[in-house]
Amino acid sequence: MKKLGIALGSGGARGVAHVGFLKALEEEGIRADCVSGCSMGAVVGACYCAGVPLDTVKKRVLALKLSHVTALNVNPIRTSGLFRFTKARKILESYIPPETTFADLKIPFTCVATDLLSGTTVELNKGKLIDAVLASSCIPGAFSPQQMDGKLLVDGGVLERVPTREVRKLGAQVVVAVDVLGDLTTSRAEPPRNLIETLLRYVDIVDTRMTQRKQRQRSRHIDLWLEPALGDMSQYRVKNLAFAYEKGYELGKANAEKIRSLIADGED
């Protein structure tokens, strides 16, 4: 069997689809040999590689509310973010021991963040797992940037929404990419209503075009690119999570045989 690598892309609330996708593959007897993740994809990927049961992950994420993961900063201007990761860290630590490192994982895993100082993508695959996952998930403006090894890190999706190159570096012979965001330029039927929505719309357009360009450039290194049918579900609102899970599950079931065929090709 060829080594299967799964790249889980960023996507906020839409990223719950990753849990459904992995659960469907698990039911089909398909297990990743290595995983890469970005932002919400990093959260799900870390739990998966640490051996947290997917049913446990599902139960927790479907019950999430914004207040469960955000804690307001007293001085958001000075700290460069509206929220702290205090609550989000506690949730992760309830499933993954705080001292867990990448070397402790059952399945090789890597995630990406963006360094604000150098303007480059940073691959995180050493040291404490939860620190890396939070850095990969640090949405600029929403959460305070994370300082690690002389770098100032924010959400990896700023530059690398679906880290396919990184999972190939882990030894994947077959790369399956799951992009839960898809083409965000077609997901809004109404014009932005305020400054925040205007800024988020700008980010969505730039993000989509950059991802599409990278997808074309790396097409020969990606065996299967998948996008769950999430319609106009917002990545920024913590609702419709069960819908996202089900769409991810449907995607996994629909593509299980194709993935099984990809990893079986060349088998002795």
Side-chain angles (χ1 to χ4, degrees), residues 132-152:
V133 169
L134 292 177
S136 179
S137 311
C138 189
I139 301 171
F143 293 98
S144 301
Q146 305 295 292
Q147 296 187 24
M148 293 178 63
D149 300 325
K151 301 178 176 65
L152 195 60

Side-chain angles (χ1 to χ4, degrees), residues 71-125:
L72 280 171
N73 270 321
V74 176
N75 190 336
I77 301 300
R78 186 173 182 177
T79 55
S80 302
L82 291 173
F83 307 108
R84 291 174 285 125
F85 269 132
T86 310
K87 291 183 178 180
R89 181 181 289 276
K90 287 183 177 179
I91 291 175
L92 285 174
E93 289 179 350
S94 68
Y95 296 108
I96 301 173
E99 298 303 314
T100 300
T101 68
F102 283 85
D104 298 323
L105 297 177
K106 301 176 182 296
I107 300 171
F109 173 69
T110 187
C111 59
V112 294
T114 302
D115 180 16
L116 287 180
L117 302 180
S118 65
T120 60
T121 295
V122 176
E123 188 174 354
L124 304 174
N125 53 22

Side-chain angles (χ1 to χ4, degrees), residues 32-200:
D33 295 294
C34 49
V35 177
S36 65
C38 177
S39 199
M40 187 60 178
V43 173
V44 176
C47 290
Y48 178 80
C49 293
V52 181
L54 288 170
D55 286 336
T56 301
V57 179
K58 174 188 176 183
K59 182 178 179 180
R60 189 56 182 262
V61 298
L62 293 190
L64 277 180
K65 296 181 179 180
L66 184 61
S67 60
H68 294 165
V69 294
T70 58
L72 280 171
N73 270 321
V74 176
N75 190 336
I77 301 300
R78 186 173 182 177
T79 55
S80 302
L82 291 173
F83 307 108
R84 291 174 285 125
F85 269 132
T86 310
K87 291 183 178 180
R89 181 181 289 276
K90 287 183 177 179
I91 291 175
L92 285 174
E93 289 179 350
S94 68
Y95 296 108
I96 301 173
E99 298 303 314
T100 300
T101 68
F102 283 85
D104 298 323
L105 297 177
K106 301 176 182 296
I107 300 171
F109 173 69
T110 187
C111 59
V112 294
T114 302
D115 180 16
L116 287 180
L117 302 180
S118 65
T120 60
T121 295
V122 176
E123 188 174 354
L124 304 174
N125 53 22
K126 297 178 182 178
K128 292 184 179 179
L129 179 65
I130 292 178
D131 288 348
V133 169
L134 292 177
S136 179
S137 311
C138 189
I139 301 171
F143 293 98
S144 301
Q146 305 295 292
Q147 296 187 24
M148 293 178 63
D149 300 325
K151 301 178 176 65
L152 195 60
L153 303 179
V154 296
D155 198 307
V158 172
L159 293 176
E160 195 70 44
R161 189 161 98 189
V162 187
T164 55
R165 179 175 53 190
E166 288 74 14
V167 78
R168 181 74 73 176
K169 287 166 64 177
L170 286 178
Q173 295 169 295
V174 172
V175 173
V176 174
V178 185
D179 180 17
V180 298
L181 292 178
D183 188 348
L184 294 170
T185 64
T186 63
S187 63
R188 179 182 287 277
E190 300 178 356
R193 294 168 295 182
N194 52 50
L195 175 61
I196 299 299
E197 287 192 358
T198 299
L199 290 173
L200 293 178

Side-chain angles (χ1 to χ4, degrees), residues 10-11 38 155-162 179 181-185 200-214 235-236:
S10 61
C38 177
D155 198 307
V158 172
L159 293 176
E160 195 70 44
R161 189 161 98 189
V162 187
D179 180 17
L181 292 178
D183 188 348
L184 294 170
T185 64
L200 293 178
R201 180 61 174 167
Y202 165 77
V203 171
D204 286 349
I205 292 171
V206 173
D207 188 7
T208 294
R209 294 299 177 240
M210 183 181 298
T211 300
Q212 289 172 338
R213 184 171 65 253
K214 288 187 176 182
Q235 63 174 311
Y236 305 111

